[in-house]
């Protein structure tokens, strides 16, 4: 338990990556953790799409940057692995389910020595015609909605320092 709490306290979002790819062993451990996230009624509404193809990552990065209103930027910060979490929007708890998967992915990455960051705008990207075409290509129906993008790799620089915890974070009644 002590090790788990330490991992939760020391994980940071990284926004600059080396080109070096993570190992299959690390990737598989991270993915397994994602599949064990709690979901509403155990329905397991999310899916995790693993992308390590640089051209497809660049394509999704371009779409994400356009949605963000900053074309030409790289919202994926050069990370060599991208995990897209989508969830079946016909399930009432799909956003929460997918968010818990994202949390597990981020925390598991840190536990196995991989840096990560949650990148938003998956919902918007996969509601675009090009995003919907990718869903179809991947064998997923249009009921799947983007929850988040989890980028993975090794930091190209210093790990950010933690921000102090705010006062009154916990209210006991």
């Amino acid at each position: 338990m002590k090790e788990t709490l330490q991992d939760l306290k020391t994980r940071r979002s990284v926004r600059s990556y080396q080109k070096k790819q993570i190992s299959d062993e690390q990737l598989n451990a991270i993915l397994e953790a994602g599949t064990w996230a709690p979901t509403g009624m155990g329905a397991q509404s999310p899916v995790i799409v693993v992308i390590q193809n640089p051209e497809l990552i660049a394509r999704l990065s371009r779409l994400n940057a356009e949605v963000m209103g900053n074309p030409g930027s790289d919202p994926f910060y050069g990370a060599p692995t991208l995990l897209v979490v989508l969830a079946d929007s016909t399930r009432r708890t799909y956003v929460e389910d997918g968010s818990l998967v994202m949390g597990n992915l981020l925390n598991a990455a840190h536990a196995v020595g991989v840096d990560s960051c949650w990148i938003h705008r998956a919902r918007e990207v996969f509601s675009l015609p090009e995003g919907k075409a990718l869903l179809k290509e991947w064998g997923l129906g249009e009921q799947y909605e983007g929850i988040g993008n989890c980028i993975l790799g090794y930091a190209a620089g210093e790990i950010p320092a933690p921000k102090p915890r705010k006062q009154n974070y916990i209210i006991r009644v």
Side-chain angles (χ1 to χ4, degrees), residues 98-158:
S99 296
L100 286 165
V101 168
M102 285 291 295
N104 273 23
L105 295 172
L106 296 165
N107 289 316
H110 180 64
V112 299
V114 172
D115 298 304
S116 65
C117 190
W118 179 327
I119 306 300
H120 292 283
R121 295 168 298 281
R123 179 174 292 119
E124 295 88 344
V125 165
F126 289 96
S127 66
L128 297 171
E130 194 169 347
K132 288 180 181 188
L134 286 169
L135 292 177
K136 187 175 182 179
E137 181 181 321
W138 298 338
L140 299 170
E142 286 192 25
Q143 80 273 18
Y144 279 90
E145 194 169 293
I147 303 299
N149 301 288
C150 178
I151 56 174
L152 301 171
Y154 302 108
E158 298 286 320

Side-chain angles (χ1 to χ4, degrees), residues 61-105:
S61 179
R62 178 185 52 77
L63 290 171
N64 195 295
E66 288 172 7
V67 167
M68 183 173 47
N70 194 3
S73 69
D74 177 13
F76 297 152
Y77 304 105
T81 296
L82 169 62
L83 306 179
V84 179
V85 175
L86 303 138
D88 182 345
S89 64
T90 65
R91 300 293 308 176
R92 292 178 65 156
T93 58
Y94 78 100
V95 172
E96 294 83 356
D97 296 347
S99 296
L100 286 165
V101 168
M102 285 291 295
N104 273 23
L105 295 172

Side-chain angles (χ1 to χ4, degrees), residues 150-168:
C150 178
I151 56 174
L152 301 171
Y154 302 108
E158 298 286 320
I159 301 295
K163 293 183 179 178
R165 302 298 90 177
K166 68 180 184 177
Q167 289 190 7
N168 300 318

Side-chain angles (χ1 to χ4, degrees), residues 1-28:
M1 184 163 103
K2 194 175 185 183
E3 191 175 302
T4 300
L5 291 175
Q6 188 62 21
D7 283 339
L8 294 173
K9 289 179 181 180
T10 57
R11 193 209 74 77
R12 297 287 169 267
S13 293
V14 170
R15 293 178 178 86
S16 180
Y17 290 86
Q18 301 173 28
K19 293 190 184 310
K20 180 182 175 187
Q21 188 56 267
I22 65 174
S23 74
D24 287 342
E25 181 181 15
Q26 290 168 314
L27 177 59
N28 291 336

